[in-house]
């Protein structure tokens, strides 16, 4: 399983970026894909994910209404469109195959293993 993140950069608050997660093989057919981010000194957190079975999408509360995840299976790529960026969105963004858990109306997503790619740096200036 190989995923490669790209599209990060430096942007002013209020700006936009689109991240790409390029996949190899049939991973998008076999797994849900999640985006995670890690800010300096903080734990990695889930940002968004998309189900491979029905295309359902899920978002962390902090990004709802600003970020949109989508999948282009023909291009073998999952995108994360990030609008109205805030300084607190700064971090290294990673994508990974995940398992989606829905318990008591709460949805979480968890990487299937602990193998992470290089990630892509997003820096939002104030």
């Amino acid at each position: 399983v190989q995923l490669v993140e790209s599209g990060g950069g430096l942007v002013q608050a209020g700006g936009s970026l689109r991240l790409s997660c390029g996949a190899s093989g049939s991973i998008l057919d076999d797994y849900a894909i999640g985006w995670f981010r890690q800010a300096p000194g903080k734990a990695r957190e889930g940002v968004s994910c998309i189900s491979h079975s029905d295309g359902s999408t899920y978002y962390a509360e902090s990004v709802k209404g600003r970020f949109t995840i989508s999948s282009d299976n023909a291009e073998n790529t999952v995108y994360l469109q990030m609008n109205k960026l805030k300084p607190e969105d700064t971090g290294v963004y990673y994508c990974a195959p995940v398992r989606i858990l829905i318990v008591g109306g709460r949805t979480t997503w968890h990487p299937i293993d602990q193998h992470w790619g290089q990630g892509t740096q997003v820096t939002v200036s104030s």
Side-chain angles (χ1 to χ4, degrees), residues 107-118:
T107 302
T108 56
W109 48 98
H110 308 270
I112 62 169
D113 59 34
Q114 290 306 307
H115 179 263
W116 297 94
Q118 298 275 359

Side-chain angles (χ1 to χ4, degrees), residues 18-95:
R18 188 177 79 159
L19 305 185
S20 298
C21 172
S24 62
S26 62
I27 186 174
L28 298 191
D29 295 326
D30 298 332
Y31 296 100
I33 301 296
W35 281 99
F36 299 80
R37 68 186 179 190
Q38 188 165 23
K42 294 189 176 181
R44 197 170 349 230
E45 62 174 352
V47 175
S48 181
C49 73
I50 185 165
S51 168
H52 67 296
S53 60
D54 63 4
S56 295
T57 57
Y58 305 92
Y59 299 92
E61 285 297 323
S62 59
V63 307
K64 274 183 182 177
R66 301 188 297 121
F67 290 12
T68 303
I69 191 171
S70 61
S71 178
D72 185 337
N73 283 28
E75 295 292 328
N76 248 10
T77 302
V78 172
Y79 299 101
L80 185 67
Q81 178 67 43
M82 307 188 297
N83 299 328
K84 300 179 182 178
L85 283 161
K86 304 176 181 180
E88 51 263 45
D89 295 318
T90 293
V92 180
Y93 283 68
Y94 304 87
C95 59

